[in-house]
Amino acid sequence: MNFDLQDLSGTFSVMDIVLAMTLSFVLSTVIGYVYRATHKNVSYSQSYVQTLVIVGMVVALIMLVVGSNLARAFSLVGALSVVRFRNAVKETRDVGFIFLVMAIGMACGARFYTLAAVGGVVIALIIFLMSRFDLFALNVQRQVVKVQLPAGEDHTQSIQDVLLRLTDEFELVSTESIRGGTLTEVFYTVRIKKGHEPGELVAALQERTRGQRVTVLTGYDQTDL
């Protein structure tokens, strides 16, 4: 009994379909678990990981449909171009995972099973190792300093004297007028020297600004006096 399916793009067997779907599912699932294991922020989404698996399998199916038929490929591009996605990708690395499962799906659908398996496993291992050893991390902690000053008075030099003493580097970000022009608010990004605390910087700045409000933001922590 012949189970070969004749299509305009060529001949493929039921076994080809089963292998493409199964392998794309397995590899996309592995990528999903790698994504979950290496995700470090609070924006983790179960729906996104499930979508990765679905995308891998759908792309494999599309590749089976297209085969080597160029006209059909252009037809599918036109059909898929009407789809609009309104959900923004929260992190840059999420885009990389989408491209990864798409590549795996394409390899499976094109029946390059060894390429899909070896490539998927190697890339997943590299992602896991980069996360495990925290590669390319830049361990530079910066703070945002917000200082309110009486309008009409120039405290720039006195503020910068404090910043020079207590920080390794600083940069003026913005200056704006607030409270109907009675106060001027300036923002600096700084990197506090080792051995000094944000509270120390706040106290030193308040001495130079007549007790006006000074705020130091460090990540999610805030020192506000």
Side-chain angles (χ1 to χ4, degrees), residues 209-224:
T209 60
R210 301 181 184 178
Q212 295 293 336
R213 184 175 182 178
V214 177
T215 305
V216 177
L217 300 174
T218 307
Y220 293 101
D221 299 325
Q222 175 174 321
T223 301
D224 191 356

Side-chain angles (χ1 to χ4, degrees), residues 11-39:
T11 302
F12 52 88
S13 66
V14 173
M15 184 58 66
D16 289 328
I17 302 173
V18 172
L19 283 175
M21 292 292 97
T22 302
L23 187 58
S24 62
F25 169 76
V26 171
L27 292 176
S28 297
T29 300
V30 170
I31 297 301
Y33 278 112
V34 170
Y35 175 85
R36 188 182 72 171
T38 58
H39 192 83

Side-chain angles (χ1 to χ4, degrees), residues 13-141:
S13 66
V14 173
M15 184 58 66
D16 289 328
I17 302 173
V18 172
L19 283 175
M21 292 292 97
T22 302
L23 187 58
S24 62
F25 169 76
V26 171
L27 292 176
S28 297
T29 300
V30 170
I31 297 301
Y33 278 112
V34 170
Y35 175 85
R36 188 182 72 171
T38 58
H39 192 83
K40 297 181 179 180
N41 295 328
V42 297
S43 59
Y44 176 80
S45 170
Q46 179 186 16
S47 175
Y48 172 78
V49 179
Q50 292 175 347
T51 301
L52 290 178
V53 179
I54 295 171
V55 167
M57 297 181 68
V58 169
V59 171
L61 182 61
I62 291 174
M63 290 299 296
L64 287 173
V65 171
V66 172
S68 59
N69 191 297
L70 188 61
R72 184 166 298 180
F74 281 109
S75 299
L76 279 173
V77 169
L80 294 175
S81 66
V82 302
V83 180
R84 295 290 184 270
F85 299 96
R86 299 186 181 276
N87 288 340
V89 178
K90 297 181 179 64
E91 296 184 31
T92 306
R93 73 192 299 269
D94 291 358
V95 179
F97 277 91
I98 293 174
F99 277 107
L100 177 55
V101 295
M102 288 179 64
I104 288 173
M106 291 175 67
C108 292
R111 286 166 277 183
F112 297 139
Y113 305 125
T114 303
L115 175 62
V118 174
V121 171
V122 169
I123 295 175
L125 181 60
I126 291 173
I127 294 172
F128 184 80
L129 290 176
M130 285 195 298
S131 175
R132 174 66 179 81
F133 294 102
D134 202 20
L135 298 182
F136 312 112
L138 182 62
N139 296 319
V140 176
Q141 187 178 26

